[in-house]
Amino acid sequence: MVKAIVQHEHGGPEVMKWEDVTLGKPGPGEARVRHTAVGLNFIDVYFRTGLYPSPLPLTTGMEAAGVIEELGDGVTGLKVGDRVAYAGRPIGAYSEARIMPVDNLIILPDSIDDQTAAAMMLQGMTTEYLLQRTFHVKQGDTILFHAAAGGVGLFACQWAKHIGATVIGTVGSEEKAELAKAHGCTHTILYREEDFQEKVMEITDGKGVPVVYDSIGKDTFEKSLDCLSPRGLMVSFGNSSGPVTGVNLGILGAKGSLYVTRPSLMAYNATRPELEKSAGDMMELVSNGAIKVNIGQTYPLSEARKAHEDLEGRKTTGSSVFTV
């Protein structure tokens, strides 16, 4: 038996319970991983509430780091005792240990500790595909990134600075503005006090930006379109304020032949070579110091309810990690 966060219904943070669960043996192509650190991400909230449907009872969580305790038949390239990390499906990371497909596991270098690994896998690889593949950000580009002081935001600010791009970031407080600037954000906009569309146009001399990265959703979607230059790309990769619905495609033409995409990490890292390349690019920048992983807060895994309350209350900064 191991302990895990289990929910028997969808709803608020209170539905998550700390329970005993039975863990079997790994089958062919699988490994039993004992977790040492687990990442907290907003997508965990979507599964908890049922916005992203998943069968009950449910253990959520999409990234963690740990140690291989046992291997199933036919596994090569890994051994018991290897330090590994993962991000993505199948969900179930909110547990002391679990069975994982070995194709999802990435061996960790000695230069990256377990908490850093648990904080960086999903957010770091999300940043990789957003800045290198969804829209290829180049030196000299100016981009708009919402929630610049969040986990993905701090990764993106540093990665974009490494490329030589200028980041305009929206934040919710002066404290978060300073944090974003310290991680490479050139211009910060306090979205509760300022009109971010007007500020973007002021900063860009009325030209707008070629790409907007938006994890907020319905509250920022329409005004974000007005921040784009002609033929610009709106990247809607999250919906912390609620999902975007009822989009009239005609407005894309009226606002300058714009493009909109709703990408996901699972689609961009659907194959093992894509996963290895994405993780490798990200870990190289972390290992050489170009990107520093900001762990703003840690919680015991048994206190997942409190962590979700803080996350949804916008009380967190940077990445959040559960200790196991």
Side-chain angles (χ1 to χ4, degrees):
M1 302 288 283
V2 299
K3 287 284 191 179
I5 294 292
V6 182
Q7 59 182 89
H8 299 273
E9 60 182 320
H10 294 115
E14 70 280 358
V15 303
M16 297 187 294
K17 310 297 182 183
W18 186 236
E19 298 181 359
D20 290 321
V21 297
T22 301
L23 190 63
K25 296 179 71 65
E30 294 180 333
R32 175 180 167 127
V33 179
R34 173 177 54 83
H35 290 151
T36 53
V38 175
L40 169 66
N41 298 281
F42 219 98
I43 194 171
D44 303 344
V45 174
Y46 304 155
F47 280 107
R48 190 203 74 219
T49 61
L51 177 64
Y52 290 0
S54 191
L56 296 170
L58 169 67
T59 295
T60 191
M62 298 194 70
E63 72 175 335
V67 178
I68 293 178
E69 291 188 316
E70 187 178 356
L71 293 170
D73 293 339
V75 174
T76 60
L78 292 169
K79 65 182 184 300
V80 172
D82 278 346
R83 296 174 58 245
V84 295
Y86 63 85
R89 292 179 184 270
I91 62 173
Y94 284 19
S95 58
E96 292 178 326
R98 69 181 301 198
I99 306 298
M100 281 292 294
V102 296
D103 282 348
N104 295 25
L105 301 177
I106 296 292
I107 295 178
L108 290 172
D110 292 340
S111 59
I112 296 176
D113 65 74
D114 291 5
Q115 286 197 16
T116 298
M120 76 181 188
M121 292 299 292
L122 192 145
Q123 295 170 351
M125 291 194 294
T126 296
T127 303
E128 182 279 320
Y129 84 74
L130 288 175
L131 269 60
Q132 295 197 144
R133 291 185 278 167
T134 304
F135 180 93
H136 184 61
V137 177
K138 303 177 295 299
Q139 183 177 7
D141 284 343
T142 298
I143 68 174
L144 172 61
F145 212 101
H146 287 297
V152 177
L154 294 182
F155 268 97
C157 289
Q158 294 176 87
W159 202 311
K161 181 179 179 181
H162 176 74
I163 293 169
T166 296
V167 181
I168 304 171
T170 65
V171 294
S173 67
E174 289 284 1
E175 178 187 11
K176 290 187 175 184
E178 291 304 313
L179 183 63
K181 288 177 182 176
H183 286 75
C185 187
T186 314
H187 307 277
T188 55
I189 300 172
L190 297 171
Y191 69 87
R192 292 190 176 102
E193 302 173 16
E194 303 172 290
D195 185 313
F196 72 81
Q197 187 266 337
E198 290 182 0
K199 291 294 293 184
V200 167
M201 286 303 169
E202 177 185 319
I203 292 167
T204 61
D205 295 325
K207 297 175 183 175
V209 294
V211 62
V212 174
Y213 294 104
D214 183 11
S215 62
I216 305 299
K218 69 179 180 66
D219 287 355
T220 49
F221 181 80
E222 290 197 13
K223 292 196 75 169
S224 292
L225 295 179
D226 292 329
C227 295
L228 288 166
S229 56
R231 301 185 302 281
L233 174 63
M234 172 69 179
V235 183
S236 178
F237 69 99
N239 32 247
S240 62
S241 68
V244 176
T245 59
V247 177
N248 175 8
L249 293 180
I251 67 174
L252 302 180
K255 293 179 182 293
S257 295
L258 304 179
Y259 297 87
V260 175
T261 185
R262 182 60 171 89
S264 72
L265 177 63
M266 284 67 77
Y268 271 87
N269 285 354
T271 68
R272 181 68 189 182
E274 288 171 336
L275 172 62
E276 290 180 344
K277 176 69 163 56
S278 181
D281 287 356
M282 179 264 298
M283 287 194 294
E284 179 181 359
L285 293 182
V286 172
S287 294
N288 68 22
I291 290 179
K292 299 187 185 306
V293 180
N294 183 290
I295 300 175
Q297 46 281 312
T298 62
Y299 306 84
L301 182 57
S302 58
E303 297 181 10
R305 172 177 177 171
K306 174 66 163 59
H308 275 230
E309 289 170 347
D310 289 351
L311 181 64
E312 292 179 273
R314 300 189 179 184
K315 297 177 181 178
T316 64
T317 57
S319 301
S320 301
V321 173
F322 293 113
T323 55
V324 184

